[in-house]
Amino acid sequence: GMAARSPQSGGGFPMNEASAVFEAFVRQLANDLTEQITQEHGREIVAMFDEIVRLREQLTRAGRLMEAYVIREKQLHEMLDGLTSTHTQATAQMHASRTEWSEKAQSVTLVQNEQRRRLKDPMEDTQTELERIQQVLAAPMHPPHEVTHQQKWQPL
């Protein structure tokens, strides 16, 4: 009867042959798409890693500038402390007999000490920020698989 005959498609091929051709086509299409997506993903990973490397280099430069700033500020503060101390001693010696003048000089010195204390705050803020930068840069970089295969990557 009719159920025993092999079903035919409109193109003259048996259905199982047309199905096999279609299946092979779809499988190839899926493979091509997977390959394209994998390559694009690899390019994105490499680009992101390059951006991280660039940002770490900028952080390193900023850290060096901040270190130099802190060192200079400390030197300036030490110099200022030395000058203030010398000035206070000289003032005290010159006006030992004039109590009124000494009291005035001491009140000026107290004001100067308060001003110097306020000057140290930005330096301490910079020191704190510098320590944060150093912590970030201390974390080792682990290049992803895509980077080690596509480039000759060298750690900084």
Side-chain angles (χ1 to χ4, degrees), residues 100-153:
E100 179 192 327
W101 188 259
S102 283
E103 287 170 5
K104 201 179 269 186
Q106 283 176 344
S107 72
V108 168
T109 301
L110 288 174
V111 169
Q112 288 174 342
N113 285 342
E114 175 58 24
Q115 289 172 338
R116 278 187 301 129
R117 191 193 59 71
R118 272 188 262 129
L119 276 177
K120 282 189 179 179
D121 291 343
M123 185 177 73
E124 288 165 3
D125 292 345
T126 302
Q127 184 67 45
T128 302
E129 196 59 31
L130 178 58
E131 287 164 9
R132 279 189 45 215
I133 287 175
Q134 288 167 341
Q135 282 177 350
V136 168
L137 293 174
M141 289 183 57
H142 301 290
H145 169 80
E146 293 83 355
V147 171
T148 53
H149 284 291
Q150 290 191 18
Q151 301 175 339
K152 290 190 167 74
W153 181 75

Side-chain angles (χ1 to χ4, degrees), residues 44-53 141-144 147 153:
E44 286 292 320
I45 294 287
V46 169
M48 289 169 73
F49 186 76
D50 288 345
E51 178 69 4
I52 289 169
V53 169
M141 289 183 57
H142 301 290
V147 171
W153 181 75

Side-chain angles (χ1 to χ4, degrees), residues 10-70:
F13 289 108
M15 275 299 249
N16 58 356
E17 269 185 59
S19 181
V21 168
F22 178 74
E23 195 177 315
F25 170 74
V26 169
R27 191 172 284 119
Q28 183 59 48
L29 198 60
N31 288 343
D32 291 350
L33 188 59
T34 303
E35 181 64 28
Q36 285 177 353
I37 290 171
T38 303
Q39 287 176 358
E40 181 59 28
H41 178 258
R43 283 192 294 273
E44 286 292 320
I45 294 287
V46 169
M48 289 169 73
F49 186 76
D50 288 345
E51 178 69 4
I52 289 169
V53 169
R54 193 179 64 71
L55 289 171
R56 286 178 67 103
E57 288 169 351
Q58 287 181 351
L59 256 185
T60 301
R61 283 194 295 277
R64 285 192 198 117
L65 288 172
M66 291 169 86
E67 279 176 333
Y69 165 80
V70 168

Side-chain angles (χ1 to χ4, degrees), residues 83-98:
L83 288 172
T84 303
S85 171
T86 304
H87 175 264
T88 303
Q89 289 169 1
T91 304
Q93 288 169 359
M94 279 176 28
H95 304 290
S97 60
R98 296 186 188 171

